[in-house]
Every structure is written in structure tokens, then in C-alpha cells.
Amino acid sequence: MVDLQSQYARIQPQIDKAILDVVSSAAFINGPEVKTFQSDLEDYLGVKHVIPCANGTDALQIAMMGLGLEPGDEVITADFTFAATVEVIALLNLTPVLVDVDPNTFNIDLESIRKAITPKTKAIVPVHLFGQCAQMEEILQIAGENDLYVIEDTAQAIGADYTFSDGSKKKAGTIGTLGTTSFFPSKNLGCYGDGGAIFTNDDDLAHTIRGMVNHGMYKRYYHDVVGVNSRLDSIQAAVLRLKLPHLDEYCRARREAAKYYNAGFRDNPNILTPVTEKCGEICDTCDCHVFHQYTLKITNGRRDAVHEHLNDLGIPNAIYYPVPLHRQKAYLDDRYKEEDFSVTNALSDTVLSLPMHTELEKEQQDLIIRTVIEAVEQS
Ligand SMILES: *Cc1c(COP(=O)(O)O)cnc(C)c1O
């Protein structure tokens, strides 16, 4: 699904040197690379505070701890996402409230959010799924009317732009109360191990969270709050610092690959290609979608057949996500009614993600497109 070797090969000398420099400095934890990457990322995103941490799941957990959410508080999030989002809600003894998504963008559905709000609701966690922002302007409005926090799960959308109705733009993850991301190797800005970060423009919240990631210490060996140990190590920061200046070019390469796929599948009545909320089918100019995944909907009931056919031929492909969260054993709950999840239930039977990365070649895509179309049309 990704080609991390070829991407590494293009920046190998710089990366190798940066890693060796960290090793010889022996500043493995909280070395200068971490501070530099943090401030480079603050500049790139246009956000006041980036707090690096150990991974994207920790980032979500610490964001919720930082907001002081308490057991019993309800947190609304999308039913169609990677489990990390709901996992940390459950782990903190908060009450997850899963809601349906939009059938076209796969992102959290506004009407379903509105219906799910109760006096106990404290936060909404929109996930910018597959690389496209959720409808943040409307979500901020709903949050404002109901006094809710907004935590953007930006693990799949770092670098994406969100355009407000007045034309102003913000980077994904810098719009809500807090944003979180992951630097897992296959993410759009990936390191060579685990990594994550939390973003905010709120000085007090940033201060609270900076202590929380480090055992609740604001002064060495004085523990004011219960914290965790969640750090981005210096080697990962060195890698990320070198990759960050390439992020826009990586986003462009993904967008070009998505456009090429879209053109290849155009006019096939049984294949629906990804759409962007604001720019329509194919986006030529802006980073409104950074295509962490390129995900088709196969509408003639042959999704599983296509999946198997590609597997047989050794063509990478994946089903994200085969089971909506409300049907996962760990998150079953009597509160959920199947009729409230008609979209996620349908998506789990129709979606198929194809290889998507910065090194895709047109010949590879031609083969993938041809094979998918053949398999869809076989009967
Ligand atoms: C990858 C991912 C995470 C978790 O990130 P890790 O760094 O693997 O912990 C959280 N949310 C979403 C939507 C993700 O895709």
C-alpha cells in the first residue's frame, strides 16, 4: 500500500547523517532535534503550540486528559474510523457516543452529531478521514452552541487545508480546541518508528499538556497532576525535521496519483471515486484532500470479489474499515441502534482502498486500474 523504501532512498544521505548525529550526541530524549522539529511544525501549521508525544493514540488520550474530561462525560465521534479514536475515550472511562458518517466524504455527519448531544456531552472528536477535513465550520458552530470542546483527529490529514466560507484557510488540526496527529511510518508525515503530537492555540492548555506528557511535572520531581510518559524521541524528531520540508511535495504527489486514479475509473457506473467536500470530484489546486487513503466505493456488490482478485494477483489493496466501530466486540453497547448507522454499515461492505503513496508510477496505476475494472465487471 505504501513504498517507504523509495521515499527514503531520495533523502537517504541527509537522513543517515541526522540519525548518526543524534547517536553520537547521545541526546536521545528531548534533544535539540525535538525542539527544532516542534517549532518548525508550529510554523508550518500556523499554530501556537505543538506538543510532541509518543504516538497518535497517546495524543488523543492526552488531549482528553488535558481538557479535564471526567468519567461519565460523553464524547461524540465517528463510527467509521480507526479504533484508536474510540479506544482512548473508553480507556479514560468517558462514554463514547459513536455516530454515522457522510456517505460521500466518509466524515462525521452533522445531523447525527446534533441528534447525539445530551446534557452530558463534553466534546466532539471529528476524524479527518483518509486525508480530508470534516465539516469544521459547522462543527465549531454546533460546539459553540452547546459549549463543547472539539478535538480534531488529524492522524490521516496532516498538511490538509480547510477553507472557511469567508475564504480564509487553516491547516487541519489547528481549527478546534485541540488537534492530534500520528507520525506512524505510513502516515503522510511518517517517522521511522512511533511518534505523535498535539496542537493548540490555547496557552494554558498547552502548558497543562506539556506537563502531562512528562509525568505531570511542571517542575522537576514535583508532580502536580497525574500524567503519562509520552515522548517523541530525538531520532524520530531528526527524521521528521528533515521530512517536514517535503510534506507539501508529498501531498502534491498523492493528489496527482488520486487524480490519475479518478480519471481511470471515470464513467464506470459501478465504481465511485473519492469526492472532496468543497472542490468536487478532482481537486487541481488546493490541499483540501491529502489522500492518506485513496478509497473507492464498489457499488455492484462485487467489493469482496475485487478484493480477492487483487489479492490473488499480489496487488496491494485494503478494506478500511471492514467493521464499523459500533459492531466491534470491545465497543458494543445497547444504546446503539442499527438504523442509526445505515451509512457506516453500507460503507463497510463497499469500500476498497488502493495503493497510495508518494512514489506511485503511472504504469503501476494503469495495471491497478485495469485489474479493478476487470474484476468489477466480471460476473
Ligand atoms: C493512525 C491513527 C491513529 C493512531 O495513531 P498511532 O500513532 O498509530 O497511535 C489515530 N487515529 C486515526 C484516525 C489514525 O489513522
Side-chain angles (χ1 to χ4, degrees), residues 54-60 80-87 127-130 153-157 180-187 193-196 292-293 321:
N55 57 67
T57 309
D58 275 9
L60 283 161
F80 197 64
T81 172
F82 180 57
T85 326
V86 68
E87 180 177 61
V127 181
H128 303 318
L129 204 73
F130 301 154
D153 183 343
T154 315
Q156 303 190 2
T180 66
T181 203
S182 163
F183 304 120
F184 185 80
S186 64
K187 303 282 155 118
D194 274 310
H292 174 61
Q293 297 296 345
Y321 297 92

Side-chain angles (χ1 to χ4, degrees), residues 104-217:
N104 298 312
T105 62
F106 311 112
N107 276 327
I108 195 163
D109 175 60
L110 300 176
E111 210 32 60
S112 304
I113 297 178
R114 286 198 188 92
K115 268 177 41 195
I117 293 173
T118 76
K120 289 183 176 169
T121 310
K122 288 288 155 54
I124 308 170
V125 186
V127 181
H128 303 318
L129 204 73
F130 301 154
Q132 172 171 216
C133 283
Q135 290 169 283
M136 288 306 296
E137 187 159 2
E138 292 84 352
I139 290 171
L140 289 185
Q141 195 187 340
I142 296 171
E145 288 162 5
N146 294 280
D147 205 13
L148 308 177
Y149 300 119
V150 177
I151 304 169
E152 302 173 67
D153 183 343
T154 315
Q156 303 190 2
I158 191 138
D161 288 315
Y162 181 80
T163 308
F164 289 82
S165 47
D166 68 1
S168 63
K169 282 183 196 290
K170 280 188 184 176
K171 284 287 182 197
T174 69
I175 304 162
T177 324
L178 290 161
T180 66
T181 203
S182 163
F183 304 120
F184 185 80
S186 64
K187 303 282 155 118
N188 289 26
L189 179 63
C191 59
Y192 295 166
D194 274 310
I198 302 154
F199 318 135
T200 187
N201 284 307
D202 182 321
D203 297 336
D204 293 336
L205 208 44
H207 174 76
T208 302
I209 288 174
R210 268 187 219 292
M212 273 182 175
V213 298
N214 188 25
H215 303 291
M217 284 194 291

